[in-house]
Amino acid sequence: MNPSQAAPGSQASLREANRLRVLETLREQGAMTQVEIAGSTGLSPATVSNMVKELDGAGAVELAPSIRNGRRAVLVSLATGNTLLAGIAFGDRDVRVAVATGPRDVIGRQRMPLPSNHNADEGMERAARLLYDLVEKSGKAMTDVKAVGVGIPAPVDSVSGQVGSESIMPGWRGVDVADELAGRLGAPVLVDNTANLGALGELRIGALQGVQDGVFLKLSHGIGAGLVIGGEVFRGSAGTAGEIGHLTIDEHGQICRCGNRGCLETFIGAQALGEALAVSHGRLTLRDIIARAQGGDVGCRRVLEDAGRHLGVAVAGLVNLLNPSVIVIGGQLALVGDLIVDPLRAAIERSAIPSAAASVTILSSELATEADVVGGIVAAEALHAASDALKVTIGSMS
Amino acid sequence: MNPSQAAPGSQASLREANRLRVLETLREQGAMTQVEIAGSTGLSPATVSNMVKELDGAGAVELAPSIRNGRRAVLVSLATGNTLLAGIAFGDRDVRVAVATGPRDVIGRQRMPLPSNHNADEGMERAARLLYDLVEKSGKAMTDVKAVGVGIPAPVDSVSGQVGSESIMPGWRGVDVADELAGRLGAPVLVDNTANLGALGELRIGALQGVQDGVFLKLSHGIGAGLVIGGEVFRGSAGTAGEIGHLTIDEHGQICRCGNRGCLETFIGAQALGEALAVSHGRLTLRDIIARAQGGDVGCRRVLEDAGRHLGVAVAGLVNLLNPSVIVIGGQLALVGDLIVDPLRAAIERSAIPSAAASVTILSSELATEADVVGGIVAAEALHAASDALKVTIGSMS
């Protein structure tokens, strides 16, 4: 029986809600005594005691003797055993992979460049190789990897599971990445946009913790946003919410890779920044531009300041529409800090309605360029927990 | 005891959730038998029977003998008695008031023009006069008006309860409208942005019924949006979400009444439309322009078509950011229908990412220019129901 199918308001659905609350609390707060679980969930000690017995019987929690406040106590924690989770973040120019036992517990990470015109097959092949390598180095087996969260720097259509644009990442068109990768890795795979995964990572262990209405801006080769509404990542009706990079800034502007004109990306994407510096500086990558700006190069600094200003006009629109309380700046451009944040803030104050501008705080990512990979691990954990909760429920119903 | 204060997961909170579910079901579906309530809520007949006894004792429901399927039955309905609800929508040039026993049951409505430079005091005075008049005509007393929902065509800051801009509606600056009007009307007042109320009205009995992620566009003297996320109106962290009228369309454009440059309103607000026609047509109001366009005037038609195209570029941004499944066109400009909807749709298809553009349906408002007033009644009903539920809870706990 699916957890969501219990008759609402019935004793069965109440028990199920309580069980999920205990599992969620252990996931958030780590090992706890039964008294602490009761305090934290508001459930009675007797209810908690029964619940823990049941969960232990189903292998969903582990019990370990310990000392709390000088007295012997039994700590309850989520059963991990040999469970590994993986996060994979594809970029326009690289792929990054991390293996972990939880979002805060990464045990290995690796990065590999990708050619600019790579196709999905090459990308997935390299990602799989990195993951096999990391698992082997950690002394575990691929069968220990229970779930994988994968980010793609393009809109991901939640209905088709495919890239929601013909021209963004053309080498990935028509590929069911979740299905393909699950086959290669032998574990369930969840695919999402990298900006959404960045928001998920920051929400769980970074700068968006406890935030109800917020935004994670991913500023890298391309530009994306992960929206947080009501304390959760918001994906819209077909999974593609947050596409700020393709907001029209100038109706008569340059043609964008998405096929439209004058999108934000045509002003501040890596290619636009490189072109603005081509005559004076020659051919520079995004990494070059950031490094030189940090080294004091005035041309590179100017280009990034201007990018902050253009970004601010688009973000002001987002502030007017969503009235978020926090905006977190992530991705590679976040590495230059105030150089981009100061003009961004000034442009929001100039272009957003005053009360919305006054109620928003701009923060730097706490997870730096790893927010998306961490978000992949959070997604993998949720995917694994969902299948676990289902097993526990089936066990307790039979 | 406040409903939200019962320990989560306890029997008391479960009973409370069930009670609210019964009240909500009666509010949504009207009079029902106890068997029908049980079928609709998933609660057991015994639970429903106890609950109805309790609610009847507290005066929250009314019981009436009836016939169902040829058998005698007792119909349960929400107690209305002499309960009246009122909705008030302020515009830039008028105020509209309706009195009702429920969102579908308006018993009287009236409209009165307002001078363009009116202040809050004049506006509230006229609204109060209209309301007194309507109540008297319906043979009821002002003491029967239990709650009032009021819309203002400006961002309403949920923290201060005031207009969230120094320059939009300057005559209303610093006024606590809810408090002032509650004093004049002798009933609790809820104040919200008119576009949000429009969304609320369409969500409850109009084109947004059952929609999870949608948008209500209010196209009148000014331009606003009410956002629906997860099936509810979304107001953002400080209550000002949905301000699409002040989205920057051209960084170097004309100065807007909000103090910024090149906002959508400077392209398609009533003043901009009037100015575009001033040389050829002389001084026209928004009503004039709409009437002439409907009469076939090519200049007026062209100005509205161009407005649809500009609107489409801004709405494409909203589609990219929020990925809604439905957009409802409301406000006075909705009266011209396809003249504005066709170029709007074309611009969304040109400027939004393909999968988001493909997943959105554009509909006309079902409540026409009354969506905001109906939304005011829905808000009033919720305000009244909240105080009622509190009374029932207090009664049953003592």
Side-chain angles (χ1 to χ4, degrees):
Chain A
M1 185 175 175
N2 185 304
S4 63
Q5 287 172 339
S10 67
Q11 285 302 318
S13 85
L14 179 65
R15 207 160 52 224
E16 205 149 281
N18 289 341
R19 185 185 299 122
L20 288 174
R21 191 180 300 155
V22 169
L23 289 171
E24 188 57 33
T25 304
L26 291 171
R27 194 169 298 126
E28 292 289 341
Q29 307 191 19
M32 304 169 86
T33 65
Q34 295 196 16
V35 173
E36 288 165 347
I37 294 173
S40 184
T41 56
L43 298 173
S44 74
T47 304
V48 171
S49 171
N50 286 331
M51 194 73 67
V52 167
K53 251 180 227 141
E54 204 175 295
L55 291 168
D56 185 33
V61 300
E62 286 167 355
L63 308 181
S66 177
I67 306 285
R68 276 280 158 113
N69 305 323
R71 297 174 56 187
R72 275 190 291 183
V74 173
L75 283 184
V76 185
S77 60
L78 285 186
T80 54
N82 286 320
T83 297
L84 287 184
L85 303 166
I88 299 177
F90 288 99
D92 291 80
R93 295 287 185 275
D94 66 2
V95 57
R96 285 163 295 123
V97 177
V99 174
T101 55
R104 292 184 191 277
D105 306 298
V106 171
I107 57 176
R109 52 168 50 115
Q110 257 186 307
R111 172 184 173 272
M112 196 184 267
L114 289 174
S116 65
N117 59 348
H118 74 274
N119 62 28
D121 202 57
E122 284 173 90
M124 291 190 287
E125 179 56 36
R126 293 199 187 185
R129 217 185 308 151
L130 285 182
L131 181 54
Y132 275 90
D133 201 40
L134 282 171
V135 170
E136 190 175 277
K137 275 187 192 152
S138 71
K140 307 260 182 156
M142 274 304 287
T143 49
D144 296 330
V145 177
K146 299 304 182 195
V148 184
V150 176
I152 302 184
V156 176
D157 188 309
S158 60
V159 180
S160 69
Q162 299 178 4
V163 172
S165 161
E166 297 270 307
S167 50
I168 301 174
M169 298 187 73
W172 292 67
R173 182 165 49 191
V175 179
D176 187 331
V177 179
D179 198 54
E180 285 272 333
L181 261 180
R184 287 174 202 244
L185 303 175
V189 171
L190 185 146
V191 175
D192 202 345
N193 173 277
T194 36
N196 287 346
L197 288 188
L200 195 59
E202 297 286 345
L203 197 53
R204 181 65 182 282
I205 66 168
L208 287 171
Q209 284 177 83
V211 170
Q212 285 297 302
D213 303 313
V215 176
F216 174 78
L217 281 180
K218 194 197 157 202
L219 312 175
S220 286
H221 191 86
I223 309 297
L227 310 181
V228 172
I229 290 180
E232 291 185 11
V233 175
F234 175 74
R235 293 181 179 80
S237 67
T240 67
E243 281 296 326
I244 195 174
H246 302 284
L247 222 59
T248 304
I249 297 296
D250 177 359
E251 278 189 64
H252 310 291
Q254 289 191 34
I255 296 291
C256 178
R257 61 180 176 141
C258 76
N260 297 328
R261 260 189 198 284
C263 297
L264 177 62
E265 268 196 23
T266 65
F267 287 85
I268 72 164
Q271 202 178 341
L273 302 183
E275 273 162 19
L277 288 159
V279 172
S280 55
H281 289 65
R283 199 186 161 92
L284 296 181
T285 65
L286 186 57
R287 281 168 183 262
D288 297 335
I289 297 170
I290 291 169
R292 291 204 189 186
Q294 287 172 323
D297 181 293
V298 287
C300 291
R301 292 180 72 84
R302 173 58 187 266
V303 157
L304 292 176
E305 277 169 17
D306 288 352
R309 201 167 45 76
H310 280 299
L311 177 64
V313 174
V315 172
L318 194 152
V319 165
N320 276 352
L321 286 175
L322 291 181
N323 184 203
S325 61
V326 176
I327 294 176
V328 173
I329 312 292
Q332 289 182 64
L333 285 183
L335 299 172
V336 300
D338 290 345
L339 193 56
I340 210 160
V341 172
D342 286 346
L344 168 70
R345 190 177 281 125
I348 292 173
E349 274 162 22
R350 279 172 64 90
S351 300
I353 62 164
S355 76
S359 62
V360 69
T361 305
I362 316 251
L363 298 175
S364 288
S365 162
E366 288 185 8
L367 305 174
T369 53
E370 293 304 306
D372 46 10
V373 175
V374 170
I377 295 166
V378 174
E381 187 190 44
L383 188 60
H384 182 49
S387 62
D388 250 18
L390 198 60
K391 277 181 225 152
V392 173
T393 302
I394 292 168
S396 69
M397 303 305 272
S398 60
Chain B
M1 184 175 175
N2 185 304
S4 62
Q5 287 172 340
S10 68
Q11 284 302 318
S13 85
L14 179 64
R15 207 159 51 223
E16 205 149 282
N18 289 342
R19 185 184 299 121
L20 289 173
R21 191 178 302 154
V22 169
L23 289 171
E24 187 58 31
T25 303
L26 290 171
R27 193 166 301 127
E28 294 287 340
Q29 306 191 19
M32 305 168 86
T33 65
Q34 294 196 17
V35 173
E36 288 165 346
I37 294 174
S40 185
T41 57
L43 298 173
S44 74
T47 303
V48 170
S49 171
N50 286 332
M51 194 74 65
V52 167
K53 251 179 229 142
E54 204 176 294
L55 290 168
D56 186 33
V61 299
E62 285 167 355
L63 307 181
S66 178
I67 305 285
R68 277 281 157 113
N69 304 323
R71 297 174 56 186
R72 274 191 291 184
V74 173
L75 283 183
V76 185
S77 60
L78 283 187
T80 53
N82 286 320
T83 296
L84 287 185
L85 304 167
I88 298 177
F90 288 100
D92 291 80
R93 296 286 185 275
D94 66 2
V95 57
R96 285 164 294 125
V97 177
V99 174
T101 55
R104 292 184 192 277
D105 307 299
V106 171
I107 58 177
R109 52 168 50 117
Q110 256 187 309
R111 174 185 172 271
M112 194 183 268
L114 288 175
S116 66
N117 59 349
H118 74 274
N119 62 27
D121 203 56
E122 285 173 90
M124 291 190 288
E125 180 55 38
R126 294 198 186 184
R129 217 184 310 151
L130 286 183
L131 182 53
Y132 275 91
D133 201 41
L134 282 172
V135 170
E136 190 173 277
K137 275 187 193 151
S138 71
K140 307 262 182 152
M142 272 307 285
T143 49
D144 296 331
V145 176
K146 300 303 182 196
V148 184
V150 175
I152 302 184
V156 176
D157 189 310
S158 59
V159 179
S160 68
Q162 299 178 4
V163 172
S165 161
E166 297 270 306
S167 50
I168 301 174
M169 297 186 75
W172 291 66
R173 183 165 46 191
V175 179
D176 187 332
V177 179
D179 198 54
E180 285 273 333
L181 261 181
R184 288 174 201 245
L185 303 176
V189 171
L190 186 145
V191 175
D192 202 345
N193 174 277
T194 35
N196 288 345
L197 288 188
L200 196 58
E202 296 287 345
L203 197 53
R204 181 64 182 283
I205 66 167
L208 287 171
Q209 284 178 82
V211 170
Q212 286 296 302
D213 302 312
V215 176
F216 174 78
L217 281 180
K218 193 197 159 205
L219 311 175
S220 286
H221 191 85
I223 309 296
L227 309 181
V228 172
I229 290 181
E232 292 185 9
V233 175
F234 175 75
R235 295 181 177 78
S237 67
T240 66
E243 281 297 325
I244 195 173
H246 301 284
L247 221 59
T248 305
I249 296 296
D250 177 359
E251 278 190 63
H252 311 290
Q254 289 191 35
I255 297 291
C256 179
R257 61 180 175 143
C258 77
N260 297 327
R261 259 190 198 283
C263 297
L264 177 62
E265 269 196 22
T266 66
F267 286 85
I268 72 164
Q271 203 178 340
L273 302 184
E275 274 163 19
L277 289 160
V279 172
S280 56
H281 290 64
R283 201 186 160 92
L284 296 181
T285 65
L286 187 57
R287 282 168 183 262
D288 297 334
I289 297 171
I290 291 169
R292 292 206 189 184
Q294 287 172 323
D297 181 294
V298 287
C300 292
R301 292 180 71 85
R302 173 56 188 264
V303 156
L304 292 176
E305 277 170 16
D306 287 352
R309 202 167 43 78
H310 280 300
L311 177 65
V313 175
V315 173
L318 193 152
V319 166
N320 276 350
L321 286 176
L322 291 182
N323 185 203
S325 61
V326 176
I327 294 176
V328 173
I329 312 292
Q332 290 183 64
L333 285 184
L335 300 172
V336 300
D338 290 346
L339 192 58
I340 208 161
V341 172
D342 286 346
L344 168 70
R345 190 177 280 124
I348 292 172
E349 273 162 22
R350 278 172 65 90
S351 299
I353 61 164
S355 77
S359 62
V360 68
T361 305
I362 317 254
L363 298 175
S364 287
S365 163
E366 288 185 8
L367 306 174
T369 54
E370 293 304 306
D372 46 11
V373 175
V374 170
I377 294 165
V378 175
E381 188 191 44
L383 188 60
H384 181 51
S387 62
D388 250 18
L390 199 59
K391 276 180 225 151
V392 173
T393 302
I394 291 168
S396 69
M397 303 303 272
S398 58

